Structures are given as structure tokens and as C-alpha cells.
Amino acid sequence: MEIASLQPAGRRLIQGYGKGGFLISDQAWHGPVIVFPDHVQAWSAAALSSLTEDSFAPLRDAAPPPEIVLVGTGARMAILPAALRAGLRASGLAVE
């Protein structure tokens, strides 16, 4: 199955990632990004340890809000602190 053929027009598609960047809908991005269905924006998140509930404001304030938020943590798998996950969940964001 070819995923690209299932992509609705105008939707962003993550085509690849690595070495600190992403290829999203044929555009290269370096550093953290937030990928919405219709656009991509740079994200000021520098490190997992620096994330706060306010770091997720662009997602929390989005209309419509995302159903789920996937947070990539780099070369090593890491889990967001439980208190941060709980706070985000309370504000309506399901974060994985």
C-alpha cells in the first residue's frame, strides 16, 4: 500500500526524519517542529527536560485540537514526566 496516494490534498505528510531534521511534504525542516494537518511550524522545544505545559500551548490552543500528540525524543527513547503528562491530559491533550 502506498501511503502517499491516501494523503488528502493540502495535508502535511512526514516523509522522513533523522540527523536533527524532518522531510515534511517535500520540505526540509531542521530541529523541533509541530506538524498540523495543514501546516508545519518550528517549535521552541529544546530538550525533553525543558518541556512544560506552556510548551504545548500551540497544540492546546489549536482549533480543532489534536486528537493525539506524538512527541519524538531523539535517538534515545524517553518518557515525558508523569506530572507533565497528567497536566497535559487535564488540559485535553493525549500525549504519547
Side-chain angles (χ1 to χ4, degrees), residues 29-44:
W29 290 83
H30 183 73
V33 293
I34 300 174
V35 182
F36 292 97
D38 60 349
H39 70 283
V40 179
Q41 70 181 56
W43 192 27
S44 61

Side-chain angles (χ1 to χ4, degrees), residues 7 10-18 20-43:
Q7 178 186 0
R11 297 293 187 184
R12 299 302 115 214
L13 177 67
I14 300 171
Q15 297 164 296
Y17 61 91
F22 301 87
L23 181 62
I24 303 167
S25 296
D26 296 324
Q27 182 177 3
W29 290 83
H30 183 73
V33 293
I34 300 174
V35 182
F36 292 97
D38 60 349
H39 70 283
V40 179
Q41 70 181 56
W43 192 27

Side-chain angles (χ1 to χ4, degrees), residues 5 12 21 25-26 40 51 57 62-64 66 73-74 83 88-89:
S5 65
R12 299 302 115 214
S25 296
D26 296 324
V40 179
L51 292 177
T73 58
L88 292 171
R89 195 173 310 114

Side-chain angles (χ1 to χ4, degrees), residues 31-70:
V33 293
I34 300 174
V35 182
F36 292 97
D38 60 349
H39 70 283
V40 179
Q41 70 181 56
W43 192 27
S44 61
L48 185 66
S49 61
S50 69
L51 292 177
T52 65
E53 287 184 51
D54 285 340
S55 302
F56 293 84
L59 295 159
R60 189 180 53 241
D61 299 341
E67 292 179 22
I68 189 166
V69 177
L70 301 175

